[in-house]
Amino acid sequence: MDTFVIMALMATLGTWFVTALGAANVVFFTSTNQKTLNCMLGFASGVMIAASFWSLLQPAIERAEETSSIPAYLVATIGFLTGALFIWLSDKVISFTRKKVDNTKGKNNESFNRIIMLILSITLHNIPEGLAVGVAFGALQEGGYTPENLMGAISVAVGIGLQNFPEGAAVSIPLRREGYSRRKSFFYGQASGMVEPFAGVIGALLVVHVEAVLPYALSFAAGAMILVVVHELIPECQKNKEAQPYFATMGIILGFAVMMLLDVMLG
């Protein structure tokens, strides 16, 4: 196995571990944790928005200008829209499946369906995140290994890891509220991140062995991440907006600033 594929595997195992750390919050869960969770989700949103541009879209455009016969802006646009479309269609499939279960088993299974949807949604969102990390490390071989490029790939993994912490909690805490034991809540919460190492290896292999796919893969991951942020994370972190109007918003701004500094200073 290529060195950079192994690095991608190690990095995504790390992001999975952070998901497990987030899920472990269920052991200490109290009603006051929602404020912290909102801030963490906001911070993660800002990190993902910044990473989508500086770590994914900008490198995609630069790589397309060097290797693609298609205009770079068109390559980035196609990849970006495809990534967003992938998440949108996946959510539609999950919603359709849920309606089928509702019609078959009735409303008594509403709580169970909600739990399944929560786990599937977070797991689905982790696929492009794992791809993003894998693509970032796989690009090191095709783009030339330098300490600066390595730090850029690491910054993507760190950003995804930061985002995974509240996601792990976002699965385990609602499960605990539904009456599941702390052990089961933690297990399902950490399991939502298990897809990332697999997706990371796939992303790295694609980039290492198919150079032409790199710009599309980078922009694909960016589109998927932006849709997740706009449609899921930002609305979720703003649920307590009336009581704390700018608490989560400041988390978004801070997360964006931190990730921007990491990418610009180390890129």
Side-chain angles (χ1 to χ4, degrees):
M1 187 179 290
D2 294 306
T3 300
F4 297 107
V5 176
I6 295 175
M7 292 172 67
L9 174 61
M10 297 302 295
T12 45
L13 285 173
T15 60
W16 175 20
F17 177 73
V18 177
T19 303
L21 287 179
N25 275 277
V26 72
V27 178
F28 312 103
F29 172 69
T30 66
S31 59
T32 59
N33 279 352
Q34 187 62 44
K35 180 179 178 180
T36 302
L37 180 60
N38 288 342
C39 185
M40 291 167 59
L41 285 174
F43 185 86
S45 300
V47 167
M48 291 179 69
I49 293 171
S52 293
F53 176 73
W54 276 284
S55 298
L56 296 172
L57 279 177
Q58 187 178 42
I61 294 171
E62 292 173 353
R63 174 62 55 160
E65 289 175 344
E66 297 173 0
T67 62
S68 178
S69 59
I70 302 175
Y73 64 85
L74 189 58
V75 171
T77 301
I78 291 172
F80 185 86
L81 293 177
T82 303
L85 183 63
F86 171 79
I87 293 296
W88 178 75
L89 288 175
S90 299
D91 281 345
K92 289 293 183 182
V93 170
I94 292 175
S95 298
F96 176 79
T97 303
R98 182 185 180 184
K99 289 179 181 179
K100 285 290 186 180
V101 174
D102 284 342
N103 292 335
T104 302
K105 296 185 177 180
K107 296 298 181 181
N108 291 333
N109 290 277
E110 184 176 349
S111 175
F112 175 78
N113 294 340
R114 185 168 62 250
I115 292 170
I116 293 298
M117 281 292 293
L118 174 64
I119 296 173
L120 287 178
S121 296
I122 298 296
T123 302
L124 179 64
H125 296 160
N126 283 333
I127 294 175
E129 292 164 8
L131 284 172
V133 176
V135 164
F137 279 93
L140 294 176
Q141 179 165 307
E142 296 301 323
Y145 171 82
T146 65
E148 291 78 12
N149 290 340
L150 175 61
M151 289 306 300
I154 291 174
S155 70
V156 174
V158 170
I160 296 297
L162 289 171
Q163 187 267 334
N164 281 356
F165 188 90
E167 276 197 355
V171 174
S172 62
I173 289 174
L175 289 176
R176 180 60 178 162
R177 286 175 176 167
E178 294 289 344
Y180 280 68
S181 68
R182 284 184 169 86
R183 180 179 295 181
K184 282 189 176 181
S185 299
F186 167 76
F187 175 79
Y188 289 121
Q190 64 83 29
S192 67
M194 290 179 65
V195 296
E196 288 198 1
F198 297 99
V201 169
I202 291 172
L205 286 172
L206 284 174
V207 172
V208 168
H209 296 291
V210 187
E211 183 177 359
V213 81
L214 175 57
Y216 294 99
L218 287 167
S219 51
F220 176 94
M225 288 173 67
I226 288 294
L227 189 140
V228 170
V229 169
V230 174
H231 188 67
E232 298 288 345
L233 296 187
I234 291 180
E236 181 67 25
C237 75
Q238 295 287 353
K239 280 188 174 180
N240 201 27
K241 185 178 179 180
E242 292 76 15
Q244 298 150 344
Y246 286 98
F247 193 73
T249 302
M250 288 300 103
I252 298 172
I253 297 298
L254 180 61
F256 186 95
V258 168
M259 196 64 195
M260 179 178 63
L261 285 172
L262 284 173
D263 283 332
V264 174
M265 290 174 63
L266 302 176

